[in-house]
């Protein structure tokens, strides 16, 4: 099986009252080299404990997730069935199927073989269970993006498997749509923000499958970010002390143990059965920045209730029915995919390659990213950028050359469309449906197993003990055949990741340059020209207007650009009046810079303050940096660290790029001399 091996096991409990799960048989008996047998797996097969029951219940099925010490997830599909017993005999049995690295396909993939084994047992079919289990352990799942594969476990069955076209996109089936139906838009948005800002989230339900679906649905909404903290959709009763961990988590617990969760003071509790989300008083969930919060809420309403927009019309058109549950699931995910594209648009222009280590390290310039959006003080975005999920996002997606997916295309090529559609709900909905169609086509899987009525038999046969040697022989035979076959190699279509337009260009295109702003920039340019032409009287007349204009970001950027041009023209040595004018304008620029230098003004001025100078006396030269030292940005270690990395990168670029090519790159960067640049234009591939 691609991504790891599988291990079948049978669990039975004995005794009266609450019992302890016991592994009666497991296949294979020895661990696979690349996937050791998960210890304590019997706890997850009956999360509420093993109990006697006065009457036989119908079989149940759910998928539990185990996370090991290396943060690898193991998916355990469990089919539970009941058998009558004497006081000293077995009362409950479970068939389990453990997978490693097959993601959310586990439930649809595993119900078929487990159901097949159960049907053979109850119906008494003339098929050897050892043969079925041996074939199950050695079946090969096709690689992501591969062709359909039809397999049979040797019982006259036919199961068609098609893995996702892109394995980077999560598989949600209907879990996202069900989550919205159970909790509503406002509550799901709160959980979404809570998970992104690293709060503790606890789901409660009497249904194990609903717990699993809810946790999976929440993770699907976080794409393209990956949740990196504790993730246990179904937590066994014996492990409830895990809820007291100080680290963030997403955990599901049976509602029967709700009383044990009452004393948790910093945990957000989502009751799936009651449709409520309870946020403790000591917990603050920062909302999405406006207008994204209200826009997202509005689009979600259109997807979930298409008739809402028509409710007040005197003569409404024919009613519009909502999409099917599976397609609605993809439409809801498309809304959040658009949301992330809007939140992270232009992010590649804030990636910075650090090359002083043995291997390149990608850093993200958070200050510039927030400053370009005017969201330096936004609590939500600041916490997201400082979180573990975003750090993983930068590490995984920041590389300039890799396989791309739907999110990369969206953030690079669809930003202009999304901005143009902001005030047109129907165009937004059309875009959502287009994205949903691509998500829907990404995954297709099927297995053909006729639903029988075996579980309705009044006296089912006891589940037999299987021949371990026979199963192992079948596994060994199949393994020997596979060793001679060429290894399956996934053909990755790697390409240069498109950067998309920088955020400054996006903002300028969307808002345009107002007349007053254009006049202010012209005043700044004229004043600087007068200074360097020696027309000090004209410059003095314009200086008050220039100092007022420098309160704006565009004027400060304009000043750095104009001064940079004069340095390139070897006009850095000034007379006393010119020096005083330039220093005064630099100080005016820097006095509004925070320690974050979110607009990159201090970074752009740094090479200038070490270039402009004046002669005080023979052999004595005063540089501009001696007159601009009293600003908070110069005392920030992070600023100097970033500048150092930027200088290293600049020198490395000079070794590989022609001067004309480098100048063309600098013209496309948001600020001259800035360390903010797209990773896809680095000249060297990570």
């Amino acid at each position: 099986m691609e991504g790891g091996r599988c291990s079948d096991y049978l669990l039975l409990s004995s005794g009266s009252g609450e019992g302890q799960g016991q592994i009666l048989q497991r296949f294979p008996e020895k661990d696979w080299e690349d996937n050791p047998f998960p210890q304590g797996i019997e706890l997850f097969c009956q999360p509420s404990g093993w109990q006697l029951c006065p009457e036989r219940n119908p079989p149940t099925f759910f998928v539990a997730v185990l996370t090991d010490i290396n943060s690898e997830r193991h998916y355990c599909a469990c089919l539970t069935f009941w058998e009558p017993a004497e006081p000293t005999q077995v009362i409950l049995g479970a068939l389990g199927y453990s997978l490693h690295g097959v993601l959310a396909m586990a439930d649809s993939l595993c119900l078929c073989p487990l159901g097949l084994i159960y049907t053979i047992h109850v119906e008494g079919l003339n098929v050897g269970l050892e043969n079925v289990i041996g074939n199950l352990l050695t079946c090969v799942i096709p690689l992501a993006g591969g062709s359909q594969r039809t397999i049979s476990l040797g019982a006259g069955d036919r199961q068609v498997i098609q893995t996702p076209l892109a394995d980077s996109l999560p598989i949600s089936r209907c879990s996202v749509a069900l989550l919205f139906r159970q909790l509503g838009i406002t509550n799901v948005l709160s959980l979404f923000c809570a998970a992104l800002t690293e709060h503790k989230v606890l789901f409660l339900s009497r249904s194990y499958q609903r717990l699993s679906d809810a946790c999976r649905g929440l993770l699907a909404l976080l794409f393209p970010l990956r949740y990196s903290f504790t993730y246990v959709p179904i937590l066994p009763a014996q492990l409830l002390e895990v809820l007291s961990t100080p680290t963030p988590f997403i955990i599901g617990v049976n509602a029967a143990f709700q009383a044990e969760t009452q004393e948790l003071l910093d945990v957000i509790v989502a009751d799936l059965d009651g449709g409520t989300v309870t946020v403790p008083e000591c917990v603050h969930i920062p909302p999405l920045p406006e207008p994204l919060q209200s826009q997202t809420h509005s689009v979600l309403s259109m997807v979930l209730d298409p008739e809402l927009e028509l409710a007040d019309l005197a003569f409404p058109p024919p009613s519009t029915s909502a999409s099917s549950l599976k397609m609605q699931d993809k439409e809801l995910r498309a809304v959040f995919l658009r949301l992330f594209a809007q939140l992270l648009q232009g992010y590649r222009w804030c990636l910075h390659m650090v090359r002083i280590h043995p291997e390149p390290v990608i850093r993200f310039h958070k200050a510039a990213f927030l400053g370009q959006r005017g969201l330096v003080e936004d609590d939500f975005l600041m916490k997201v950028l400082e979180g573990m999920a975003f750090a993983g996002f930068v590490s995984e997606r920041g590389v300039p050359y890799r396989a791309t997916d739907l999110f990369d295309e969206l953030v690079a090529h669809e930003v202009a469309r999304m901005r143009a559609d902001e005030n047109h709900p129907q165009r937004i909905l059309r875009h959502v449906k287009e994205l949903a169609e691509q998500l829907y086509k990404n995954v297709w899987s099927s297995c053909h197993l006729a639903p029988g009525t075996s579980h309705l038999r009044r006296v089912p046969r006891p589940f037999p003990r299987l021949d371990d040697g026979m199963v192992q022989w079948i596994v060994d035979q199949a393994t020997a055949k596979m060793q001679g076959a060429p290894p399956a190699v996934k053909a990755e279509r790697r390409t240069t990741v498109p950067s998309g337009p920088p955020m400054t260009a996006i903002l300028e295109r969307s808002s345009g340059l107002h007349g007053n702003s254009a006049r202010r920039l012209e005043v700044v340019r004229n004043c600087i020209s007068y200074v360097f032409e020696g027309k000090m009287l004209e410059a003095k007349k314009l200086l008050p207007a220039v100092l007022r204009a420098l309160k704006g970001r565009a004027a400060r950027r304009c000043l750095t650009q104009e001064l940079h041009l004069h340095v390139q023209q070897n006009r850095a040595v000034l007379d006393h009046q010119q020096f005083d004018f330039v220093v005064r304008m630099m100080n005016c620029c820097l006095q509004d810079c925070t320690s974050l230098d979110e607009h990159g003004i201090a970074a752009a001025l740094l090479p200038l303050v070490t270039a402009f100078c004046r002669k005080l006396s023979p052999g004595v030269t005063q540089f501009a940096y001696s007159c601009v030292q009293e600003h908070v940005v110069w005392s920030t270690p992070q600023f100097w660290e970033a500048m150092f990395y930027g200088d290293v990168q600049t020198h490395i670029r000079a070794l590989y790029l022609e001067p004309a090519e480098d100048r063309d790159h600098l013209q496309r960067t948001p600020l001259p001399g800035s360390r903010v640049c797209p990773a896809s234009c680095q000249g060297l591939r990570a």
Side-chain angles (χ1 to χ4, degrees), residues 204-315:
L204 295 177
S205 177
R206 291 176 296 171
S207 165
Y208 293 131
Q209 192 59 47
R210 285 194 174 186
L211 289 175
S212 182
D213 286 342
C215 293
R216 178 173 56 187
L218 183 56
L219 257 60
L221 295 181
L222 301 182
F223 177 81
L225 274 60
R226 295 180 185 272
Y227 193 75
S228 56
F229 292 99
T230 303
Y231 175 72
V232 186
I234 302 174
L235 183 69
Q238 295 91 331
L239 302 179
L240 287 178
E241 65 271 11
V242 172
L243 298 175
S244 300
T245 180
T247 57
F249 59 68
I250 295 177
I251 290 179
V253 171
N254 193 290
F257 305 104
Q258 185 171 4
E260 282 79 352
T261 66
Q262 298 298 323
E263 298 181 359
L264 301 174
L265 301 179
D266 59 346
V267 177
I268 300 164
V269 180
D271 184 353
L272 298 174
D273 302 337
T276 62
V277 171
T278 304
V279 182
E281 294 182 0
C282 62
V283 173
H284 170 65
I285 305 176
L288 290 166
E290 289 292 352
L292 289 179
Q293 171 80 12
S294 56
Q295 290 174 354
T296 303
H297 196 288
S298 176
V299 179
L300 291 172
S301 298
M302 289 192 294
V303 171
L304 291 170
D305 188 3
E307 295 185 353
L308 180 62
E309 298 292 323
L310 312 176
D312 293 338
L313 297 182
F315 306 101

Side-chain angles (χ1 to χ4, degrees), residues 44-47 60-64 76-80 107 111 114 207-210 212 234:
F44 289 84
C45 288
Q46 286 298 307
T60 60
F61 175 81
F62 61 87
V63 179
C76 175
C78 183
L79 175 67
T80 302
D107 54 357
L111 179 57
L114 293 183
S207 165
Y208 293 131
Q209 192 59 47
R210 285 194 174 186
S212 182
I234 302 174

Side-chain angles (χ1 to χ4, degrees), residues 71-88:
S71 297
E72 295 286 343
R73 291 175 185 164
H74 302 258
Y75 295 81
C76 175
C78 183
L79 175 67
T80 302
F81 57 92
W82 299 76
E83 295 178 350
E86 298 298 330
T88 59

Side-chain angles (χ1 to χ4, degrees), residues 5 32 134 137-138 472-485:
R5 300 291 183 179
W32 298 107
L137 290 174
T138 54
Q472 189 62 48
W473 182 82
I474 296 173
V475 171
D476 292 341
Q477 292 293 316
T479 303
K481 291 181 180 179
M482 288 190 292
Q483 287 178 349

Side-chain angles (χ1 to χ4, degrees), residues 24 125 158 202 255 273 338 425 447 493 504 514 612:
L24 296 185
L125 302 180
R158 177 176 173 270
L202 175 64
D273 302 337
R338 279 175 46 95
C447 66
R493 300 176 59 183
T504 50
H514 297 294
F612 287 112

